[in-house]
Amino acid sequence: MTAPRLAVIGGGLIGSAAAKYLAEAGQDVTLIGPAEPADKSNHQGVFGSHYDEGRITRAIDPSPFWSDVTRAAISRYHDIEARSGISFFGEVGALVSGPSDHPDIASIHTQLETEDIPCEVLEMPALADRVPMFQFPQNTTGFYEPRGAGHISPRRLVKAQHILAEAAGAKLINAEVTQLTTGDTTKITATGTNWTFDHVLLATGGFAQHLSPVEIPLTTYARTIAFFEVTQEEARRLSNQPSLIYRFEDGRDPYLLPPIRYADGKSYLKIGGDPVDIPLSSQSDINEWFRSGGSPDVARVLTEMVMELMPDLQISAVTHGSCVTSFTPDDRPLDLQPSAALSICAGACGKGAKCSDELGRRAAKRVLARFGAA
């Protein structure tokens, strides 16, 4: 029997992982997706949300599903780094904290009763002594993971997955898919070239709904992120700072990353956590949002949150950027098969970077099962 010709559309976090696992299973697979644009503000094509150096990673999550897939992915970080030669994991620890009576705090207590997650449960003032760079109210509980947690570079993780996929035999095509027609096979048009595949996995994040031949339950939201440049002296002062998720009593829930060195040689703390959800309904809306660089108003709100959590932080400059997150009705990635020759995996619900290797592995396993190769 002739081996099926497979393709993955979307060279980002989940798509690159899926292509790697399909190739390592001995399949004939092609990964198709455009490279990161050199100039986002003038780019007219699609974008990816992995164009960054910092995403939080940790095992603790009130959702058993997200905790399970994340722990599976984290367990393979060091192997991916070793085999690809690309380092992407900053194992600086992670802290989830908030008011002791917050529902998420109660859920984490419940999770720790049943899951074996190495974690320190800290109340004030012991919490303040453990992470003196933060200022928390007296009624705060913190869950601190000192190992297997911290932050990853999504940009470098994607590069690592591409290296491993190609090493296993995958073909990588730098092109933007503009049309997809599916039936017994799936026909793809990308940058003026046509291909036909026996099966295609569509893994293009917030852009999936605009390529899918069927309507999919996916809502994409605009997100603003803020960056706080600090001096190298300030970065050294904060060298023990873990990644943070904090639940405010009023519902705000930012994530904050410690100083990370970017390509320009400068160190930045990064915060995300928009106070409102702004849906983006069309591909042109998404593209325009990426080009915009985010909302200055949201950046000001994020700055206020940083100063509330870290009043002693010495900031040299503040900038902001844009990305998107895509959500599904049940807070889990979509697993759709509109035809025998097409699968869709999208909707990481703002949690996909840290667990993308496992989400890609599971998507690849479902594709393999269609051909009796799982």
Side-chain angles (χ1 to χ4, degrees), residues 248-297:
F248 284 95
E249 287 186 341
D250 58 12
R252 293 174 294 162
D253 58 348
Y255 67 88
L256 176 64
L257 299 179
I260 297 172
R261 185 174 293 245
Y262 277 68
D264 62 4
K266 298 178 180 179
S267 293
Y268 300 88
L269 285 81
K270 173 191 163 187
I271 187 173
D274 290 50
V276 295
D277 289 325
I278 301 175
L280 301 170
S281 58
S282 69
Q283 180 169 329
S284 61
D285 289 342
I286 298 175
N287 288 348
E288 182 58 35
W289 175 253
F290 271 105
R291 287 191 292 266
S292 74
S295 164
D297 292 336

Side-chain angles (χ1 to χ4, degrees), residues 224-231 256 264 266-272 293-307 310 313-322:
T224 296
I225 46 182
F227 300 92
F228 304 91
E229 181 188 341
V230 296
T231 65
L256 176 64
D264 62 4
K266 298 178 180 179
S267 293
Y268 300 88
L269 285 81
K270 173 191 163 187
I271 187 173
S295 164
D297 292 336
V298 171
R300 281 190 287 271
V301 172
L302 295 174
T303 301
E304 291 171 359
M305 282 194 277
V306 165
M307 298 314 300
M310 301 183 70
L313 181 65
Q314 300 299 307
I315 301 170
S316 301
V318 180
T319 55
H320 58 82
S322 56

